[in-house]
Amino acid sequence: QVQMTILKGDGGGLIFRANDANVQLYLLRISHDGLFGISVSRDRKTITPILDDSNAAIKTGSQTNLVTVITRNSAISIYVNKQFVGMINDTTYTTGEIGVFAYDGSKDTDVAFSNAMVWTL
């Protein structure tokens, strides 16, 4: 879980169940316009979207969002600002590292992250 503020630009998000050395990971991305999605990366060249949606719980623009990913076995649940926004079942990866990222699809991007928390269920 992390508080994320898109200061300018496109978006950011969480990386989870990652193997950094092999670029195998899940990406949860949140955009400045309220869209979110999960993609899975199998290597440096292959990133496959597995969920794309929008939700009114996501604050747009430069507002802060509390972004939470809960993983249990194959279930991956997404919460934004303590509201459930989506879930997938995927068994590609079951363990790994976590991190944060910013992305710039069309313009310079700056994203601030704070108050990161990790816990065991």
Side-chain angles (χ1 to χ4, degrees):
Q1 174 175 286
V2 70
Q3 288 180 313
M4 181 181 97
T5 307
I6 302 168
L7 302 173
K8 67 175 185 173
D10 294 317
L14 294 172
I15 297 168
F16 58 100
R17 291 186 171 177
N19 177 331
D20 187 49
N22 296 322
V23 194
Q24 297 172 327
L25 49 88
Y26 291 99
L27 296 169
L28 166 62
R29 66 193 179 289
I30 307 283
S31 70
H32 69 283
D33 56 3
L35 300 175
F36 74 98
I38 296 177
S39 298
V40 62
S41 171
R42 289 175 170 65
D43 56 44
R44 294 189 189 282
K45 297 178 183 177
T46 309
I47 296 178
T48 305
I50 52 179
L51 173 67
D52 282 303
D53 207 347
S54 63
N55 193 287
I58 300 170
K59 297 175 186 173
T60 59
S62 295
Q63 300 183 71
T64 299
N65 286 289
L66 179 65
V67 181
T68 306
V69 175
I70 298 175
T71 60
R72 181 168 274 181
N73 301 318
S74 66
I76 301 170
S77 300
I78 310 303
Y79 293 80
V80 178
N81 300 316
K82 299 183 180 180
Q83 295 183 48
F84 177 78
V85 298
M87 179 181 162
I88 61 164
N89 282 291
D90 191 273
T91 58
T92 306
Y93 307 120
T94 57
T95 63
E97 304 159 329
I98 59 169
V100 295
F101 71 98
Y103 69 89
D104 60 344
S106 61
K107 51 191 147 189
D108 290 344
T109 298
D110 189 10
V111 181
F113 297 93
S114 62
N115 301 317
M117 296 176 60
V118 177
W119 61 93
T120 302
L121 298 176

